[in-house]
Amino acid sequence: MTNQKLAHATNTIDTTTTTTDTHAVSDFTSDLTTTSSELSAYCANDDVVYAATQIFDALSDFTRFQILSALGTRERSVSELQEAAHVTQSAISHQLRLLRDRGVVVARRDGQRMMYSIADDHVVTLLRVGLEHAAEDIKSDV
């Protein structure tokens, strides 16, 4: 990914770190460290590993990442997501279907239109950690 695309993706999601967010990320990290037996148990279950790879696959596309970044701040309609991602309505709908199938995004009907949002806080944490890690790599290259 180019620096320009990464900068755009980083600016799209609110990456302001509060004390609570810092604790959440460090708690997440320490949970992985302190519960290595749980991590081993998850990794021993092929269904869990497959589901995890599907989530990371969903996050690995630039357009899907833009959609998720836009949804990271608030619920949005297809037309709002189309503006944020700069792609066609058809492309947004296709990507939303994949994100829903992977359990990363949920939808609700509001009159005649569908409103989309991030499925849960785990997805926001994955976005934040991924962006922070990518930003560290870019800073070290400079």
Side-chain angles (χ1 to χ4, degrees):
M1 180 181 298
T2 66
N3 288 348
Q4 182 181 10
K5 287 183 179 178
L6 181 61
H8 177 71
T10 304
N11 290 334
T12 305
I13 189 168
D14 179 14
T15 57
T16 305
T17 305
T18 64
T19 305
T20 306
D21 292 339
T22 304
H23 290 302
V25 172
S26 65
D27 289 347
F28 174 76
T29 305
S30 66
D31 284 348
L32 289 179
T33 309
T34 59
T35 60
S36 60
S37 61
E38 286 180 4
L39 184 60
S40 294
Y42 287 138
C43 290
N45 183 328
D46 289 345
D47 293 335
V48 172
V49 171
Y50 179 77
T53 62
Q54 293 302 295
I55 291 167
F56 284 109
D57 180 62
L59 299 175
S60 69
D61 177 82
F62 185 76
T63 300
R64 289 192 296 265
F65 203 92
Q66 285 182 305
I67 291 168
L68 291 169
S69 295
L71 293 175
T73 57
R74 66 179 175 86
E75 179 180 66
R76 296 183 190 256
S77 67
V78 171
S79 59
E80 291 172 311
L81 292 170
Q82 184 180 355
E83 279 183 36
H86 308 289
V87 296
T88 65
Q89 188 261 339
S90 175
I92 291 290
S93 295
H94 172 76
Q95 299 299 348
L96 285 168
R97 184 172 40 257
L98 185 140
L99 291 168
R100 279 193 327 266
D101 290 348
R102 305 283 169 89
V104 177
V105 166
V106 294
R108 72 170 183 84
R109 183 164 296 283
D110 181 27
Q112 290 187 350
R113 64 185 188 160
M114 295 297 290
M115 300 298 292
Y116 295 88
S117 59
I118 299 276
D120 61 38
D121 290 339
H122 293 111
V123 178
V124 174
T125 299
L126 288 170
L127 292 172
R128 247 192 213 122
V129 170
L131 288 169
E132 288 170 1
H133 183 70
E136 285 175 9
D137 288 347
I138 289 172
K139 286 178 189 173
S140 68
D141 288 345
V142 175

